[in-house]
Amino acid sequence: MRLTPTMPMTLEGGQQMDVYLRLATHDGLHEAAELLLWDHRSLLSETERLRFAFGLYYGALLALLLYNLFLFASTRITLYVLYVAYLGAFFVWNFSFRGFAFQHWWPTHPWWANQILPIGATCALVTQTLLTMQYLQTRTQTP
């Protein structure tokens, strides 16, 4: 699900309409928007289906994050906290990339919504690299 412009149009059967759109982005971070024609009921149904699917996905991701946080709290193994950091950074990036963070967390701050995407991606990549290095024990295995 992406935040894309939605415009209501009414067409009668067999009627034709020319529609001109100009889509642009100032930072180039987003992929091109799809152009789809939906009837109102189908759009609502698809939106509800996607929100439910993403709710399950983000719920599972947060459950995995909490589970590993509890594992770290009980074992104090560094791998768990690195995995929690990676999952948290990935969650923030993905939640922002899909438009849910802007919709729910900071709807009045579009500047921050654009800035969090590269910040979240960088944090996710750095924590993923640290986790991989720790898991593979690269300091001792490949000095």
Side-chain angles (χ1 to χ4, degrees):
M1 178 171 193
R2 294 175 195 89
L3 289 177
T4 54
T6 306
M7 297 169 285
M9 296 187 314
T10 304
L11 293 174
E12 302 299 327
Q15 181 184 1
Q16 293 184 354
M17 178 185 294
D18 293 331
V19 178
Y20 298 95
L21 298 173
R22 181 177 182 267
L23 302 173
T25 178
H26 70 281
D27 54 14
L29 290 176
H30 298 287
E31 55 201 43
E34 295 179 89
L35 297 178
L36 299 171
L37 190 60
W38 295 83
D39 64 42
H40 184 70
R41 193 167 286 183
S42 297
L43 176 65
L44 290 178
S45 174
E46 179 67 11
T47 301
E48 287 176 10
R49 186 188 70 77
L50 283 174
R51 288 177 78 67
F52 180 74
F54 276 115
L56 289 176
Y57 175 71
Y58 291 129
L61 198 60
L62 288 175
L64 188 61
L65 187 146
L66 288 174
Y67 174 71
N68 281 280
L69 187 62
F70 289 135
L71 284 177
F72 170 72
S74 63
T75 64
R76 298 291 179 202
I77 296 174
T78 310
L79 278 175
Y80 291 122
V81 76
L82 287 172
Y83 190 48
V84 166
Y86 167 67
L87 285 175
F90 177 79
F91 176 84
V92 169
W93 171 79
N94 194 284
F95 203 67
S96 299
F97 183 75
R98 296 287 177 190
F100 292 112
F102 180 67
Q103 183 180 6
H104 298 291
W105 291 349
W106 41 76
T108 59
H109 297 50
W111 179 85
W112 177 245
N114 278 336
Q115 301 310 310
I116 195 64
L117 288 171
I119 292 169
T122 302
C123 290
L125 289 173
V126 167
T127 54
Q128 180 185 31
T129 302
L130 293 172
L131 173 65
T132 303
M133 288 171 54
Q134 180 75 21
Y135 181 74
L136 296 176
Q137 300 174 357
T138 56
R139 289 184 190 210
T140 58
Q141 299 298 322
T142 57

